Amino acid sequence: GSVAGASVSAVLQPFDTLRTRLQADATTGTARPVGATLRAIAAEGHGVSSLWRGSTATVLRVGGGAGLHFFSLQLLRGAAAGGSGQWPQWVGDAAMGGTARAVAVFAMCPLTTVKTRMEASGAAASRFSYASVPEALASISRREGVRALWRGVLPALGANAPFSAVHYACYSRLQAEIARRRPASSPSSPATNFAAGGVASALATLALPSPSTRCQRGGGYGEMRGDVPL
């Protein structure tokens, strides 16, 4: 989970940088077309490589968050296996999915804050100019206090934990239904697991549209999203 998440996030980092810049421009009333925004980002730093601004923090955040999420989920599933079963299965699945994601979101929030600031451009880029992730963490802690690293964590929890609760409950139910209908001699296939995950994601998205949270950039240069897409 960690390796896959980190690899995908590194490849897709330019889109994340572009999204962050578009949101920042919108909050300051300077929104531009996508093409013009891409050219502006490239012109502000090191050419096309500027689109990978903040990629180290992204890889650490996504990789670490995915690993922590799955680890927490395994622990919770093991603990639930020895329970009395007084709650419906879907309630337990929802609680495990939401709790595991909440743990990952809270733990990775400092990296999300650093990532968001490192992706900033324009006036914000000069204000949030960090040489590395450790330097950024130390600088924010020293200048703004440790609590600034967790700025926006409550909206992030509100956006992510309920989504994961619904997603995992739907996914577990779909898997159980597929297993019930599948012949005992037929193993589960990757395609089936992928389809179950896709349907669960669609159901969770329809049930809980993810709210935009805009707390992590700090005052003075608009606001930003604070979610942790794991």
Side-chain angles (χ1 to χ4, degrees), residues 163 167 170-171 174 191-205:
F163 178 89
H167 178 274
C170 292
Y171 177 77
L174 287 169
T192 300
N193 294 333
F194 178 81
V199 172
S201 295
L203 292 173
T205 301

Side-chain angles (χ1 to χ4, degrees), residues 56-85:
T56 301
T58 297
V59 169
L60 292 173
R61 177 184 68 103
V62 175
L68 187 56
H69 175 77
F70 288 121
F71 177 73
S72 300
L73 195 55
Q74 285 297 108
L75 288 180
L76 292 169
R77 289 174 62 180
S84 59

Side-chain angles (χ1 to χ4, degrees), residues 152-172:
V153 68
L154 292 181
L157 289 171
N160 286 270
F163 178 89
S164 285
V166 175
H167 178 274
Y168 189 65
C170 292
Y171 177 77
S172 298

